[in-house]
Amino acid sequence: MAERLSNTVALVTGASSGIGAATALSLAEEGAAVAVLGRRRNKLEELADQIRAKGGTAFVVAADITDQPQAAAAVESVVKELGRLDTVVNNAGTMGVGQAVDSPLEEWEKMLEINVRGLLYVTHAALPHLLRAAEDSPRKVADLVNISSTAGRVARPGTAVYNLTKFGVNGFSEALRQEVMAKRVRVSVVEPGTVDTELSSHLRDGIREAIERQVEGMELLRPEDIADTVAFIVTRDRRVAVNEVLVRAGEQTW
């Protein structure tokens, strides 16, 4: 196991699969004790077993972060179990695609609940612990990494509310960065392009097929590519703050 994050604790949301699972594995390989948070306990337990099999430390937290009391309790349980909190990766998210005129409101609400409120609830609960970690950690730095999207930079027809959530994440992250940077809590945004994950499987019939045709033949990013980016950010020396990273697939134009 690598030692760059030894004696630190990381929390990854949306860790049941995809980018979240890959990021949890990557941070564990760097030596962090990793709390994996999501709603699918069985998937989280499988991931935790993988981390432990490689000699790492993992703690499973099954919770719905769109419920503020659950989100706050989840963060507190991590600190109680693992003793501290040095790194938070807000990865949980969902995507809805379709023309605004005929999109179901339930789809919009779900994006707002997970992509915005869930991220805010976890961040609010975690910030005091991150500020404390930046003071007493041997590394003298703590990290909050928010997983955004190319949709936080480029607005396109059919993704209006998804754009709303991701542009919002980017704006929130930048303002928060300026608030806490003097206390050595680094706030970073990672903006993945097309990644081979479960995200598109949540799309409505017809729309899902259209998206699949759009990326047909394209070599998609892998979750590990984004996990590598997160690991790079949080393993930098405290003098280095990587504020924003845009990671597109090699053939992606948008």
Side-chain angles (χ1 to χ4, degrees), residues 188-200:
S188 307
V189 171
V190 178
E191 299 158 326
T194 52
V195 185
D196 188 9
T197 69
E198 292 181 356
L199 198 61
S200 63

Side-chain angles (χ1 to χ4, degrees), residues 17 39-40 93-97 104 107 110-111 114-115 197-205 207-208 212:
S17 64
R39 288 180 289 188
R40 295 181 288 179
T94 188
M95 178 177 68
V97 176
E107 194 171 85
K110 187 175 182 181
M111 283 187 278
I114 299 175
N115 299 0
T197 69
E198 292 181 356
L199 198 61
S200 63
S201 69
H202 302 152
L203 299 174
R204 284 174 280 145
D205 291 342
I207 292 176
R208 181 174 59 254
E212 289 171 352

Side-chain angles (χ1 to χ4, degrees), residues 218-235:
M218 180 185 293
E219 187 175 5
L220 304 181
L221 293 167
R222 299 174 183 173
E224 293 77 15
D225 297 324
I226 308 307
D228 287 347
T229 302
V230 174
F232 176 83
I233 289 170
V234 303
T235 54

